[in-house]
Amino acid sequence: MNKSNPTEPSRRGFLAAATSLVAAAGVGVPAAMAAPQRKDRPATGEMHSDHAGQSRREPFWGHHQGGIITPAQQHTYFAAFDIISEKREDLVILLQRWTEAAARMSEGYPAMPLPADLDATDADTADSLELAPSRLTVTFGFGAGLFQKNGQDRFGLAAHRPEALVDMPTFPGDQLVDTLSDGDLSVQACAEDAQVAFHTVRQLARLAEGIARIRWVQIGFIGDFGANRTPRNLMGFKDGTGNPPVTDRKEMESFVWVGDEGPDWMRGGSYVVVRRSRMALEHWDRMKVSFQEQTFGRRKYSGAPLSGKKESDPLDLSASDEAGNPQIPENSHVRLATAASNGGIKILRRSYSYNDGINVVAERWPPWHQGLEYDAGLIFVCYQKDPRTGFIPLFENMSRFDMMNQFVTNLGSGLFACPGGAAKGEYIGQRLFEKA
Ligand code: HEM
């Protein structure tokens, strides 16, 4: 074997790490249940620069799941799964395994303690062994298909489907692709390191073998704009300014967290809507900045509303120009989306940009245009107490009138009920299975 062959994995390095891990973890500990020990974690973070907080951990256990009001990390890997087993016990085993593994990985440990047999194929894949916890959060959700699929109550849960977990309507302009939409379970990993986010979903998918399989995935990113600056989306606009502040408990209780009105297992949880919104960037980039600003109702560079001067200025929907036209146009994105135009409705947006490369386009009609187009846009993610008083009525209006629609096509869509968080020793969604 050529020792300098760059394609050979550094098995030696891996083994050195692995051997010390096994020694530290204690051989023979029942793999799935061993509590994470500080010792079975490889050195994390210390050797990394920490400009984006890679060495920091986000708590996994608690009343709420992480990744909802957690300040957004720079990378996400969002996956939806279909359940392929018909046994309810399998589902419980899966959620137990997932909870355990997600808690370990959030702490910076491998998904499971290394097995005694280092040749085993069910170990953590080791691709992020030396990487820091990177503020990893894992957020789990339950789709309608968990409760009922094709009219069948597969797991005896149909009676417990929350009313808020509706079948999503199809909105005007939607061009939804089945294989990019829905799913029985959702898993969103967010981290300050792209490899940590991917590693997390990959381990969870392996733990699901024979029980559930991936239906679709979406990778997302947000640039490093700095903690106190609103990030920009791929259209060049600051995105997130008008969000209710996550530090405002009252706002979060009113608009994001499920309270006493929901089933017990959803209290402290939330509903996530995820949409794969492709942007026609080539088209957008040809528009004058002034037109782009009319489209959103905000200034491109400063982020200020067209009725104000600073990003933090409130929208003044009644402000008009000298000709008597509203400064924030009637069909601009922010006017249509804001609470004042929607009977007080608010949602918490936590979106990521995506870039899936480029597609070849060959039009089959004159002028027979051929070319390359970006497959890029926004993975729009929003949380709310109830989608029937959140995303759905909001978007019903916006999907008809929003000027932005001419530049955005929705290709994927999902709605998932994210249960309340788990206390140490519980698994995510446990209260649902105990009740049903
Ligand atoms: C590709 C899709 C989208 C893009 C690029 C986009 C972009 C933006 C931008 C640039 C702003 C202004 C800055 C800010 O307040 O964050 C904004 C505001 C907002 N957007 Fe979107 N958005 C998209 C989809 C949606 C959807 C589907 C909804 C809800 C159904 C939505 C709801 C909102 C809300 C509620 C605001 C804040 C309005 C306010 O100031 O009160 N957006 N969006």
Side-chain angles (χ1 to χ4, degrees):
M1 187 174 74
N2 177 0
K3 274 192 184 159
S4 63
N5 180 353
T7 60
E8 286 292 328
S10 170
R11 186 166 166 76
R12 207 188 200 200
F14 168 70
L15 274 187
T19 314
S20 62
L21 291 179
V22 168
V27 173
V29 179
M33 299 316 291
Q37 300 287 315
R38 237 196 123 64
K39 286 177 279 174
D40 73 346
R41 199 183 69 229
T44 55
E46 288 83 8
M47 71 274 264
H48 297 270
S49 67
D50 193 32
H51 81 118
Q54 277 94 340
S55 66
R56 283 172 31 221
R57 296 176 180 77
E58 292 291 343
F60 177 79
W61 308 105
H63 183 53
H64 305 302
Q65 291 197 65
I68 299 175
I69 61 166
T70 311
Q73 302 90 325
Q74 279 186 250
H75 301 276
T76 194
Y77 203 92
F78 201 124
F81 287 76
D82 281 331
I83 301 166
I84 49 174
S85 166
E86 271 154 29
K87 292 198 214 121
R88 181 186 161 120
E89 310 86 81
D90 281 351
L91 206 50
V92 172
I93 290 170
L94 175 65
L95 291 170
Q96 286 170 339
R97 281 187 198 161
W98 274 5
T99 306
E100 175 86 19
R104 289 179 55 87
M105 290 188 282
S106 311
E107 284 281 316
Y109 299 95
M112 62 287 281
L114 283 164
D117 172 10
L118 285 184
D119 220 12
T121 54
D122 59 352
D124 184 291
T125 52
D127 49 293
S128 64
L129 263 191
E130 291 84 8
L131 295 178
S134 307
R135 297 188 54 232
L136 172 69
T137 52
V138 190
T139 317
F140 296 100
F142 297 163
L146 176 72
F147 299 88
Q148 215 165 9
K149 201 159 196 177
N150 304 325
Q152 280 192 331
D153 182 3
R154 293 184 291 170
F155 308 111
L157 297 173
H160 294 269
R161 176 174 172 178
E163 282 177 14
L165 188 62
V166 292
D167 291 325
M168 278 282 263
T170 305
F171 297 92
D174 273 3
Q175 300 209 16
L176 302 183
V177 177
D178 190 43
T179 48
L180 297 175
S181 301
D182 304 325
D184 300 336
L185 300 167
S186 70
V187 174
Q188 184 180 16
C190 298
E192 299 294 7
D193 185 302
Q195 188 155 337
V196 168
F198 174 52
H199 168 263
T200 302
V201 174
R202 182 173 167 207
Q203 307 317 301
L204 299 179
R206 294 176 78 235
L207 287 169
E209 210 176 305
I211 305 176
R213 68 170 167 241
I214 286 180
R215 178 182 175 85
W216 56 263
V217 299
Q218 185 61 60
I219 304 168
F221 60 90
I222 302 176
D224 184 2
F225 289 89
N228 301 318
R229 226 173 277 137
T230 313
R232 291 184 187 271
N233 61 33
L234 297 183
M235 286 168 139
F237 276 73
K238 290 179 182 247
D239 198 332
T241 311
N243 252 342
V246 293
T247 45
D248 186 332
R249 248 180 102 160
K250 238 172 122 194
E251 289 272 273
M252 295 300 106
E253 298 295 343
S254 307
F255 298 106
V256 176
W257 301 126
V258 175
D260 292 345
E261 77 290 346
D264 175 49
W265 60 272
M266 273 304 289
R267 294 203 190 128
S270 191
Y271 290 86
V272 64
V273 172
V274 53
R275 312 267 293 170
R276 183 191 160 106
S277 306
R278 185 170 166 187
M279 294 169 175
L281 289 179
E282 296 79 2
H283 185 29
W284 177 252
D285 294 346
R286 279 188 219 118
M287 300 296 130
K288 286 193 168 146
V289 168
S290 54
F291 175 83
Q292 296 183 348
E293 293 181 335
Q294 296 280 308
T295 303
F296 279 112
R298 282 187 177 271
R299 298 269 172 233
K300 189 170 189 178
Y301 300 117
S302 65
L306 295 184
S307 58
K309 289 204 164 63
K310 295 195 305 292
E311 184 188 354
S312 56
D313 286 346
L315 306 180
D316 180 354
L317 298 180
S318 59
S320 51
D321 62 18
E322 286 133 28
N325 295 315
Q327 286 184 350
I328 300 180
E330 297 290 357
N331 49 357
S332 63
H333 184 72
V334 293
R335 178 183 281 273
L336 290 168
T338 198
S341 309
N342 292 283
I345 291 177
K346 289 188 192 174
I347 54 174
L348 179 66
R349 290 167 291 138
R350 203 174 183 281
S351 306
Y352 282 83
S353 295
Y354 79 84
N355 170 17
D356 288 352
I358 218 149
N359 285 339
V360 178
V361 199
E363 279 175 8
R364 288 178 291 155
W365 52 86
W368 317 107
H369 164 78
Q370 285 193 3
L372 298 170
E373 281 183 357
Y374 295 114
D375 184 0
L378 194 75
I379 168 122
F380 175 84
V381 177
C382 76
Y383 286 92
Q384 59 248 280
K385 198 188 210 31
D386 187 331
R388 294 169 302 173
T389 51
F391 177 85
I392 295 172
L394 255 190
F395 197 55
E396 244 153 29
N397 201 30
M398 292 166 71
S399 61
R400 287 184 168 81
F401 303 114
D402 192 342
M403 269 167 92
M404 188 192 74
N405 294 343
Q406 37 184 330
F407 304 98
V408 172
T409 310
N410 288 297
L411 296 170
S413 174
L415 169 64
F416 301 94
C418 302
K424 230 174 187 161
E426 277 181 354
Y427 61 89
I428 294 286
Q430 181 164 339
R431 280 173 283 159
L432 165 65
F433 288 88
E434 282 171 353
K435 279 271 155 60

